[in-house]
Amino acid sequence: MEMTDFLNKILDFFLPPRCKICGKVISDNNGLCPECFQQISFISTPYCAKCGRPFFEAPHNHNLLCGCCAHEKKSLFRMNRAAVCYDDASKNLLLGLKFFDKTDNVPLLAKWLKLGGQDIFNAGVDLIIPTPLHYLRLVKRHYNQSALLAHELSKLTGIEVNYSALIRSRYTKPQVSFSGKARIKNVKNAFYVKHPQDVCGKRILLIDDVMTTGSTLKECALVLKKAGAKSVDSLTVARTFKD
Ligand SMILES: [Zn+2]
Ligand SMILES: [Zn+2]
């Protein structure tokens, strides 16, 4: 344990826990006050069995696919899941983790990942892999938020994490500066598998904080499949939905 972690633990012992969104003092250490918790849109059934897109009308059977997945012949992914919708309420926690060193949001968000990924864990996972950052961005930001989430999720599930098999070889501009097709182009050939023997024949779970168009996750899945991964799933804390 680092000294700062140690001091924070001591402080936490004396200071009451606070809501991670509004900062209000809360009675238990669940992370959010009841009001802020209510604002979070957790994704629950019914949703597409493959891509996890919520259905607005309940289908009769649970194995239904959305229009896109029903027509797609070959998909890179076995399943895509996200715990919550990306909206004003969840944004706060995720941006805090990504840009403002709010790494103490990780345990709460990892708990959400475990809940949101139930279908994936039931189907079986051999290895967790976080979406990698380019080393220059890692130097600038000091940590990879996806790796922190993967580490915590591994503690909750007992599934091993690999931080070095998948590498971001090209320095790309943040996806947020592009839209649609430009995002696909931006991350094209940005990743490679350094140690194919680590992923070959394995059921891989890719972890990221947010899924928007899915271009980054798709590009990662593509190289993992090429390296011989048996299946690839994606699990993100949040996801945007556009119709
Ligand atoms: Zn609150
Ligand atoms: Zn679908």
Side-chain angles (χ1 to χ4, degrees):
M1 197 188 294
E2 281 179 36
M3 198 58 190
T4 47
D5 288 344
F6 180 67
L7 290 173
N8 279 334
K9 285 245 154 60
I10 293 179
L11 277 176
D12 283 348
F13 186 78
F14 292 107
L15 295 171
R18 286 178 181 273
C19 170
K20 298 202 181 303
I21 291 180
C22 71
K24 204 160 73 184
V25 171
I26 48 178
S27 54
D28 50 17
N29 210 349
N30 279 335
L32 299 183
C33 72
E35 289 77 26
C36 289
F37 185 79
Q38 276 210 332
Q39 300 292 315
I40 304 288
S41 314
F42 287 91
I43 297 169
S44 56
T45 51
Y47 48 66
C48 170
K50 198 164 170 57
C51 75
R53 176 182 289 274
F55 291 124
F56 294 104
E57 271 175 51
H60 300 296
N61 108 37
H62 271 284
N63 270 329
L64 265 192
L65 300 178
C66 71
C68 286
C69 292
H71 288 106
E72 201 176 26
K73 285 192 196 96
K74 223 176 152 198
S75 165
L76 285 168
F77 294 100
R78 185 173 64 166
M79 279 180 255
N80 310 98
R81 290 290 183 272
V84 304
C85 294
Y86 190 72
D87 53 21
D88 287 340
S90 62
K91 204 163 134 178
N92 191 312
L93 288 168
L94 291 157
L95 290 181
L97 170 61
K98 198 164 186 164
F99 300 111
F100 304 104
D101 294 344
K102 292 259 183 199
T103 50
D104 56 339
N105 290 352
V106 169
L108 176 70
L109 299 177
K111 267 189 218 164
W112 292 0
L113 279 176
K114 194 186 169 208
L115 283 173
Q118 264 175 353
D119 296 336
I120 295 172
F121 298 120
N122 289 341
V125 174
D126 301 311
L127 193 63
I128 294 173
I129 295 186
T131 310
L133 281 184
H134 190 269
Y135 77 94
L136 283 178
R137 202 175 299 281
L138 192 62
V139 165
K140 214 166 119 190
R141 203 186 282 164
H142 310 300
Y143 61 89
N144 172 1
Q145 75 280 4
S146 305
L148 296 182
L149 290 167
H151 174 75
E152 199 69 21
L153 183 65
S154 168
K155 285 203 274 179
L156 296 175
T157 58
I159 302 166
E160 189 194 333
V161 194
N162 185 310
Y163 302 99
S164 58
L166 183 64
I167 305 284
R168 192 185 284 251
S169 50
R170 198 153 59 71
Y171 190 81
T172 55
K173 286 191 179 157
Q175 285 288 72
V176 76
S177 30
F178 300 99
S179 64
K181 283 191 178 141
R183 285 189 170 217
I184 300 175
K185 206 176 152 198
N186 184 43
V187 290
K188 190 111 201 95
N189 303 320
F191 302 92
Y192 74 99
V193 176
K194 194 175 180 189
H195 309 293
Q197 69 274 21
D198 289 354
V199 303
C200 191
K202 294 206 170 136
R203 296 166 297 177
I204 309 286
L205 173 58
L206 274 171
I207 296 295
D208 209 348
D209 52 351
V210 184
M211 174 170 170
T212 309
T213 59
S215 313
T216 304
L217 288 164
K218 267 186 210 154
E219 202 57 32
C220 291
L222 186 73
V223 294
L224 288 167
K225 285 298 273 275
K226 277 187 183 160
K230 191 175 171 194
S231 65
V232 181
D233 301 306
S234 80
L235 176 59
T236 55
V237 176
R239 179 171 170 186
T240 60
F241 292 101
K242 263 197 292 183
D243 290 303

